[in-house]
């Protein structure tokens, strides 16, 4: 999952970037509200973590501006302000959730997962497809109830394909989910990860749509 972190506190921003990346997120970190407004036009982003107190323009102004532009990206607000009026103002400005400082990284990650579920219309935290079960919180994959060992990037590709089951994801879209702005990308990296996933989960699990990308077919039973 690709996250834009907008936080001008260097210590907190560095800690969040490292912590979320260890949890499997791809994090792009920006410290300025004006720069963030430009960055939020990137359709590859899945979520935004937005501090309210920012240089350039404050987080609430930025949030209102992107909502006026009909940008639907899920936004979690971070702030040291914890009054009822502040929380109501943040949510009414278009935030999907609100987390006062100080907070625990595990709670932040849980809130990000909850936002993602709501936006995807899923009630359950688990992603199931046939014999495959993926747990975003525990970062585990099971096939026929047996654990399957996946690297962090294999896990990220599988999660992206399951969340978007029935849709074709291009190689570029998968690369954008895996790599931040400053990361180098090997030309055949996605193909290698797909190959490894097919060996672990079955050749027919992930379909190649020639000239377009990859997909996991949507199931008719309501699961992903």
């Amino acid at each position: 999952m690709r996250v834009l972190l907008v936080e001008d506190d260097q210590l907190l921003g560095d800690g969040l970037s490292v912590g979320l990346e260890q949890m499997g997120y791809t994090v792009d970190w920006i410290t300025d509200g004006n720069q963030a407004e430009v960055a939020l036009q990137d359709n590859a982003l899945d979520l935004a973590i937005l501090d309210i107190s920012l240089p350039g323009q404050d987080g609430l102004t930025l949030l209102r501006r992107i909502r006026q532009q009909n940008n639907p990206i899920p936004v979690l607000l971070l702030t040291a302000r914890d009054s009822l009026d502040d929380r109501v103002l943040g949510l009414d400005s278009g935030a999907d959730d609100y987390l006062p400082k100080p907070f625990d990284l595990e709670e932040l990650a849980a809130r990000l997962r909850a936002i993602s579920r709501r936006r995807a219309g899923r009630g359950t935290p688990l992603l199931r497809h046939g014999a495959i079960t993926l747990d975003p919180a525990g970062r585990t994959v099971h096939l026929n109830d047996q654990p399957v060992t996946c690297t962090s990037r294999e896990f990220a590709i599988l999660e992206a394909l399951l969340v978007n089951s029935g849709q074709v994801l291009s190689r570029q879209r998968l690369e954008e989910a895996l790599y931040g702005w400053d990361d180098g990308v090997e030309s055949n990296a996605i193909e290698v990860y797909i190959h490894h996933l097919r060996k672990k989960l079955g050749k027919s699990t992930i379909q190649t749509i020639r000239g377009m990308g990859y997909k996991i077919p949507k199931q008719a039973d309501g699961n992903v």
Side-chain angles (χ1 to χ4, degrees), residues 50 69 77 89 115 135 147 162 170 223:
L50 180 60
Q69 297 163 9
L77 283 179
L89 179 60
I115 291 171
D135 180 0
L162 287 173
S170 67
N223 287 329

Side-chain angles (χ1 to χ4, degrees), residues 18-37:
V18 172
L20 289 172
E21 286 172 355
Q22 289 175 345
M23 291 180 173
Y25 292 90
T26 298
V27 181
D28 295 307
W29 175 24
I30 285 179
T31 60
D32 179 88
N34 290 332
Q35 294 175 4
E37 184 173 358

Side-chain angles (χ1 to χ4, degrees), residues 129 198 201-208 215-217:
H129 189 281
R198 284 171 170 159
L201 301 173
K203 292 182 179 179
S204 62
T205 300
I206 301 172
Q207 296 180 353
T208 298
K215 77 171 184 178
I216 289 180

Side-chain angles (χ1 to χ4, degrees), residues 120-195:
R122 289 189 292 113
T124 173
L126 301 179
L127 293 167
R128 293 189 174 93
H129 189 281
I132 300 170
T133 302
L134 182 146
D135 180 0
R139 297 195 60 75
T140 59
V141 177
H142 285 77
L143 178 65
N144 293 315
D145 297 322
Q146 298 300 311
V148 176
T149 301
C150 293
T151 68
S152 61
R153 284 181 171 161
E154 289 168 2
F155 185 95
I157 286 180
L158 180 60
E159 183 178 17
L161 290 169
L162 287 173
V163 168
N164 297 281
S165 63
Q167 302 178 39
V168 179
L169 299 186
S170 67
R171 186 177 74 173
Q172 179 182 353
R173 176 66 183 85
L174 291 172
E175 287 175 348
E176 290 169 344
L178 293 184
Y179 300 98
W181 293 322
D182 298 327
D183 295 330
V185 183
E186 296 181 12
S187 60
N188 66 336
I190 299 301
E191 287 81 357
V192 171
Y193 296 135
I194 294 289
H195 173 71

Side-chain angles (χ1 to χ4, degrees), residues 3-15 17-18 21 27-32 35 181-182:
V3 175
L4 179 69
L5 172 63
V6 190
E7 171 59 66
D8 66 324
D9 184 303
Q10 292 292 324
L11 186 61
L12 179 58
D14 184 63
S17 294
V18 172
E21 286 172 355
V27 181
D28 295 307
W29 175 24
I30 285 179
T31 60
D32 179 88
Q35 294 175 4
W181 293 322
D182 298 327

